[in-house]
Amino acid sequence: MVDPYLVRSLKRVHDQAANDLQVTEPTSSQTTAERFNEVLNDFQDGYSDNDRLASIDEVEGTHASLTRHHTIERANEDLREIKLKTEQIADLFELDVQDFERVDDVTEMRPIVIQQHAIQETDVTTEQTVELNITIEHIQETIQHIQRPPEQKQELEELLTEFEEELQGEQDETRLQRFLGAAANISEDVATQMAQRALMYGVTGVLSLAG
């Protein structure tokens, strides 16, 4: 089975390239190329015995400039190449295009919804507990790749830092709920992962299991 985190990362890059290709104004491809190269390296490190995967090259990326018209088309070529290569990687792992497009529905960890009331620890199943193996680095990676303005990403980083300090300290549920609520206003994915991390520490008073 393919690492779900890698698949989600691959889909984010694929969708970003596809979205950028639909933008009418000149769009640079450098950031998307950097993200693609990171995901490609992660795949190649994780599946080093896959020769076809090893043959896929990185994409350099281009800064598109109105004063240098050839850079605009070159950036678009990069984006098309990135989109194609993400689909090639998906094919290698037998993720057909339809499934690849729906990967978030299949693999995204969504066992927890932020709520205001408490639950009993006995409501947590073994299967759900396994899904809650989430690290600070994982959340930081999510923040890095979400499509939000830099100032909102910085705010999420600060909220995560304070949230983690509270988890390691007194675990005041009111403060934890406030951090989760502020994070959810920016990114539900980040807030969900923070909530999952709280459950790993045994904090259930601010969480409720979905469905």
Side-chain angles (χ1 to χ4, degrees):
M1 179 179 178
V2 186
D3 185 334
Y5 175 69
L6 289 182
V7 179
R8 288 196 299 272
S9 299
L10 186 68
K11 183 181 187 300
R12 281 193 290 267
V13 174
H14 173 274
D15 290 352
Q16 185 61 54
N19 290 339
D20 287 347
L21 282 168
Q22 297 176 7
V23 176
T24 55
E25 65 267 18
T27 304
S28 298
S29 58
Q30 288 175 313
T31 300
T32 306
E34 289 174 359
R35 291 175 179 171
F36 168 74
N37 294 338
E38 290 176 1
V39 174
L40 175 63
N41 288 332
D42 287 342
F43 264 95
Q44 290 176 337
D45 289 344
Y47 304 93
S48 57
D49 58 341
N50 191 315
D51 294 336
R52 295 180 65 185
L53 179 63
S55 69
I56 298 177
D57 296 325
E58 294 185 352
V59 178
E60 183 175 349
T62 304
H63 176 71
S65 172
L66 284 172
T67 60
R68 302 173 63 194
H69 293 287
H70 70 280
T71 62
I72 298 174
E73 181 52 35
R74 176 57 191 273
N76 287 333
E77 289 178 3
D78 294 339
L79 293 169
R80 285 190 286 269
E81 184 179 1
I82 291 168
K83 183 173 179 291
L84 175 62
K85 288 185 174 182
T86 56
E87 292 169 355
Q88 288 176 335
I89 295 172
D91 288 342
L92 289 176
F93 292 93
E94 298 182 347
L95 298 165
D96 64 40
V97 175
Q98 218 173 14
D99 288 338
F100 183 56
E101 291 291 314
R102 296 200 312 267
V103 67
D104 275 343
D105 297 334
V106 176
T107 63
E108 191 71 50
M109 294 186 297
R110 301 182 185 276
I112 294 177
V113 175
I114 302 169
Q115 299 286 355
Q116 296 292 335
H117 58 275
I119 62 170
Q120 298 296 322
E121 289 189 16
T122 54
D123 290 337
V124 182
T125 66
T126 302
E127 180 180 355
Q128 288 161 336
T129 302
V130 171
E131 290 181 339
L132 299 178
N133 183 21
I134 187 167
T135 66
I136 286 294
E137 290 76 15
H138 182 106
I139 304 175
Q140 290 171 332
E141 181 75 9
T142 299
I143 293 173
Q144 179 185 350
H145 287 92
I146 60 174
Q147 300 303 306
R148 297 291 187 278
E151 59 271 17
Q152 289 188 339
K153 291 186 177 184
Q154 179 63 35
E155 183 178 353
L156 284 173
E157 289 279 5
E158 293 171 357
L159 286 169
L160 177 60
T161 298
E162 294 182 84
F163 186 79
E164 183 68 15
E165 289 175 353
E166 190 64 35
L167 280 180
Q168 303 284 352
E170 297 180 0
Q171 295 189 352
D172 185 304
E173 292 182 357
T174 300
R175 283 174 55 81
L176 290 171
Q177 182 66 59
R178 187 165 66 249
F179 294 142
L180 288 172
N185 287 334
I186 302 174
S187 169
E188 291 186 3
D189 285 345
V190 172
T192 298
Q193 291 177 8
M194 289 168 63
Q196 291 170 337
R197 186 158 177 80
L199 193 56
M200 288 172 57
Y201 279 78
V203 180
T204 59
V206 294
L207 307 174
S208 177
L209 295 182

